Amino acid sequence: MALLRVTVVLVGAFLAMVGSAQATQPMKNGILQAPLGIKGKDDRSPVDITAFPWRTIGRVNRSGNFCTGILVAEDQVLTAAHCFWNKRTKRWSGATEFHFVAGYDKGRYAGHARGLRYRTAFAALPDLSVQPLPRDKDWAVLTLDKPLGKTFGFAEVSRRRLSEDALATADLVQAGYSRDYSHILTVHEKCRITHTARLDKGQAPIYFHQCDATNGDSGSPIFVKDGAGYRLIGLHSATARLKTGEVSGLAIPSSVFYPYLK
């Protein structure tokens, strides 16, 4: 499998500030601009936050900032590893600084828990101020102080990475809390993963996708819909601008982090 060199722009970064539920896209020459990460037409739409699997998704909050997270066990939330890196202090934040709110909608939430500890792919957490985060390792599992999954359920996580043939016909859905709609959960139905490739030597292959994910969507799940059920097959990490100028989302296949789950 050939390496694919890209310029990565972190639009799913943890710097998404809590703001209005209304769109806050930038203006250019008086025209409203879609956030980076929206590929063409904005296909995001709200969903019933009380229905499954949407009620398993929530915000991972710290000091007014947030990422998206999803319950993958009774007391575990899957999200992006870079959400725990504090760019201001240039250190990894402690788990107890984080709160997970399930069923969050317009300032209200159905469940709340604090973090106890988190696990990443690293034996020792790297200093991200001096080295980049390997994109295939941008996942973390946050253990909670309450078993929220008993009430809200939790996602079924696929053991295997989907083949290119399976991806071509898969019915995919991405769901997250975008910065410009920070108080509601939005989904992009029938988005697509275009291909799988390695970003660099030694890294695991990752998915390149066209789901509309932007700031705040880091850690958001990508599901495949099988009949009436949903399986988590990937975790949105960031957005990349390819050498061709095309903007693509980057997602970690579930096969990468599945062995670390309960």
Side-chain angles (χ1 to χ4, degrees):
M1 183 180 297
L3 302 183
L4 186 59
R5 302 288 182 178
V6 298
T7 301
V8 176
V9 182
L10 282 181
V11 302
F14 188 63
L15 298 181
M17 299 301 296
V18 175
S20 169
Q22 303 299 316
T24 55
Q25 293 99 318
M27 301 287 289
K28 183 177 181 181
N29 297 326
I31 300 174
L32 196 65
Q33 302 293 302
L36 185 62
I38 306 303
K39 293 87 176 174
K41 173 179 169 287
D42 189 342
D43 293 296
R44 295 171 297 173
S45 60
V47 289
D48 179 2
I49 197 68
T50 66
F52 189 88
W54 320 124
R55 64 175 178 258
T56 68
I57 303 169
R59 292 202 337 187
V60 181
N61 294 333
R62 182 187 64 80
S63 301
N65 303 321
F66 71 90
C67 274
T68 300
I70 180 167
L71 287 161
V72 290
E74 290 184 354
D75 63 346
Q76 288 189 332
V77 168
L78 178 70
T79 189
H82 74 255
C83 299
F84 297 96
W85 174 255
N86 188 319
K87 284 188 174 181
R88 182 180 60 82
T89 63
K90 297 183 179 180
R91 66 173 183 87
W92 291 86
S93 300
T96 56
E97 298 176 42
F98 293 84
H99 300 256
F100 178 71
V101 286
Y104 179 78
D105 187 66
K106 300 174 185 174
R108 299 174 180 240
Y109 54 85
H112 164 264
R114 292 193 68 162
L116 292 177
R117 57 189 174 276
Y118 58 87
R119 173 187 295 177
T120 70
F122 303 99
L125 293 172
D127 184 349
L128 300 186
S129 65
V130 297
Q131 66 182 89
L133 175 67
R135 195 55 46 192
D136 63 330
K137 291 181 171 56
D138 191 18
W139 61 266
V141 179
L142 177 67
T143 298
L144 306 175
D145 66 353
K146 298 175 186 175
L148 295 184
K150 283 186 176 181
T151 301
F152 300 99
F154 46 88
E156 176 189 354
V157 182
S158 179
R159 296 169 179 247
R160 298 180 179 85
R161 176 167 54 87
L162 268 65
S163 68
E164 301 289 347
D165 290 341
L167 289 173
T169 58
D171 187 359
L172 302 178
V173 181
Q174 180 270 339
Y177 288 91
S178 303
R179 180 173 66 178
D180 54 334
Y181 294 105
S182 57
H183 294 290
I184 60 173
L185 180 70
T186 61
V187 304
H188 182 174
E189 297 187 89
K190 299 187 183 300
C191 57
R192 64 193 180 96
I193 292 174
T194 57
H195 61 285
T196 304
R198 299 179 192 272
L199 279 179
D200 210 342
K201 185 178 180 180
Q203 293 191 24
I206 63 171
Y207 293 140
F208 285 67
H209 69 80
Q210 289 297 300
C211 306
D212 286 336
T214 182
N215 290 72
D217 282 298
S218 285
S220 62
I222 297 178
F223 297 107
V224 62
K225 188 175 180 182
D226 293 326
Y230 294 81
R231 281 186 297 119
L232 191 154
I233 64 159
L235 189 76
H236 174 71
S237 169
T239 291
R241 189 178 297 281
L242 310 183
K243 286 186 175 181
T244 60
E246 179 186 8
V247 173
S248 179
L250 307 178
I252 306 157
S254 56
S255 56
V256 173
F257 49 77
Y258 180 87
Y260 298 87
L261 304 181
K262 281 187 176 179

